[in-house]
Amino acid sequence: MELLIDDKTKQILKKAKSIVFFTGAGISAESGIPTFRGKDGIWNKLKPEELANFNAFLKNPKLVWEWYQHRKEIIHKCQPNPAHKIIAELQNKYEKVSVVTQNIDNLHRRAGSKSVYELHGNIERNYCIDCKKEYGNNVPLIDGLPKCDCGGLVRPDVVWFGEYLPQNVFTSAEEIAKKSDVFFIVGTTGIVYPAASIIYLAKNKGSYLIEVNIDETDISISVDQSFFGKAGEVLPQIFSQI
Ligand code: BJW
Ligand code: ZN
């Protein structure tokens, strides 16, 4: 069944110059990567406080590393889906298309998006907790754990609870959100801050907010338009009508 888009939304999308896609775990669900929350969320089985915070890492680095290795293996087997792909294709249609993502899976870049702001880091990068030396994926293992030349523990370059987001990335994301004509919110519960604050910044600056999600969220009440369905189906359908 064809998705119904009202005339106002169509006109706004036709005239838009700068579009931002703010994305979360749901956009990668159709690629086969589990979300965090919800019925198939990874955190139904694993407690976030046991894994996604620095103290947990210091207490049990092997457990945290096992979790990230497991997720990395899943991610490496997955491919960008039609949602990632249409966003990348839109770079040929609009003056400015930016992606502000909470995901660490690299799928937007693999799909071909050029302007990607990763608010919560990237699973492909690592760094030493002592000297901050940056590592790619090949970190030497000592006693089964990745260790820096300096002897320090190496950790994934992701943002855990209680940690600051990369300041330059966050500030740039805020700037492009403020200047956007249309701001899509795709596959996120929008409950994790300060990432979610960017949604309301865009709204306050007059951007037109469009949500794409399989379910209603805390954000639904604040947006101009919600499309309920899978991102990989809804996004291509929207832009086939513009
Ligand atoms: C589909 C779909 C399909 C499914 N199509 N849709 C109160 C108490 C304690 C802490 C706080 C508090 N208030 C605020 C805080 C701070 C905390 C926070 O926000 N907590 C809230 C949860 C309450 N924030 C922080 O700690 C942040 N830092 C910070 O605040 O620093 C300042 C500070 C410094 C020092 C001291 C104190 C403060 C950092 C947050 C870091 C979040 N990190 C994670 C892990 C990243 C690494 C990793 O991946 O391992 O980021 S947590 C996790 O949540 C991950 C995600 O990016 C993030 C958001 O999740 P997302 O993407 O929304 O996924 P889901 O699963 O929630 O939703 C999926 C959605 O998709 C659903 O809506 C589905 O319906 C939908 N869907 N299939 C379309 N096919
Ligand atoms: Zn080091």
Side-chain angles (χ1 to χ4, degrees):
M1 201 174 69
E2 194 174 79
L3 191 86
L4 283 178
I5 311 178
D6 63 89
D7 283 343
K8 183 179 174 197
T9 304
K10 268 190 191 163
Q11 285 315 313
I12 287 172
L13 280 172
K14 280 194 171 120
K15 284 193 195 138
K17 290 197 168 20
S18 173
I19 302 194
V20 172
F21 289 87
F22 178 87
T23 65
I27 196 169
S28 298
E30 289 156 81
S31 293
I33 302 175
T35 59
F36 292 92
R37 303 167 187 89
K39 64 176 166 45
D40 296 320
I42 32 179
W43 288 354
N44 287 335
K45 296 147 210 148
L46 301 162
K47 286 200 188 110
E49 60 274 18
E50 278 174 21
L51 297 165
N53 77 71
F54 187 65
N55 286 337
F57 178 68
L58 286 183
K59 205 167 137 198
N60 199 343
K62 278 199 171 148
L63 175 71
V64 175
W65 264 113
E66 263 173 37
W67 188 50
Y68 278 95
Q69 282 306 116
H70 169 69
R71 289 173 59 200
K72 206 184 294 187
E73 279 163 24
I74 295 175
I75 288 168
H76 284 174
K77 285 187 200 140
C78 293
Q79 300 300 327
N81 67 53
H84 301 102
K85 287 182 189 162
I86 186 83
I87 293 173
E89 281 165 25
L90 290 172
Q91 292 171 130
N92 303 322
K93 187 166 170 159
Y94 289 99
E95 230 169 85
K96 197 165 167 55
V97 178
S98 312
V99 176
V100 175
T101 188
Q102 300 167 89
N103 300 344
I104 61 167
D105 60 26
N106 222 19
L107 287 185
H108 283 294
R109 287 187 207 280
R110 283 174 58 196
S113 283
K114 302 268 186 285
S115 173
V116 183
Y117 299 86
E118 290 164 329
L119 298 176
H120 292 160
N122 187 312
I123 199 165
E124 305 295 340
R125 296 190 308 254
N126 300 295
Y127 69 93
C128 169
I129 63 170
D130 290 338
C131 71
K132 313 294 174 215
K133 180 173 171 184
E134 290 173 17
Y135 286 86
N137 266 325
N138 294 323
V139 190
L141 296 185
I142 298 169
D143 296 332
L145 275 176
K147 289 269 179 72
C148 178
D149 307 334
C150 80
L153 259 176
V154 172
R155 60 165 282 180
D157 189 358
V158 299
V159 182
W160 286 326
F161 285 111
E163 294 184 326
Y164 291 104
L165 275 58
Q167 188 62 51
N168 54 342
V169 177
F170 188 69
T171 308
S172 304
E174 284 187 318
E175 286 310 311
I176 55 139
K178 278 191 219 166
K179 291 181 196 143
S180 64
D181 302 312
V182 180
F183 190 92
F184 275 86
I185 303 137
V186 187
T188 179
T189 40
I191 58 163
V192 174
Y193 282 79
S197 66
I198 296 179
I199 299 169
Y200 304 97
L201 184 66
K203 184 179 167 72
N204 290 339
K205 288 287 170 185
S207 190
Y208 191 73
L209 265 50
I210 302 177
E211 178 184 42
V212 178
N213 201 301
I214 49 170
D215 282 326
E216 210 171 316
T217 68
D218 289 4
I219 310 157
S220 305
I221 194 168
S222 304
V223 301
D224 296 288
Q225 180 72 257
S226 284
F227 292 107
F228 295 113
K230 292 182 174 177
E233 294 169 8
V234 170
L235 283 174
Q237 278 198 54
I238 293 175
F239 287 100
S240 69
Q241 294 179 52
I242 303 305

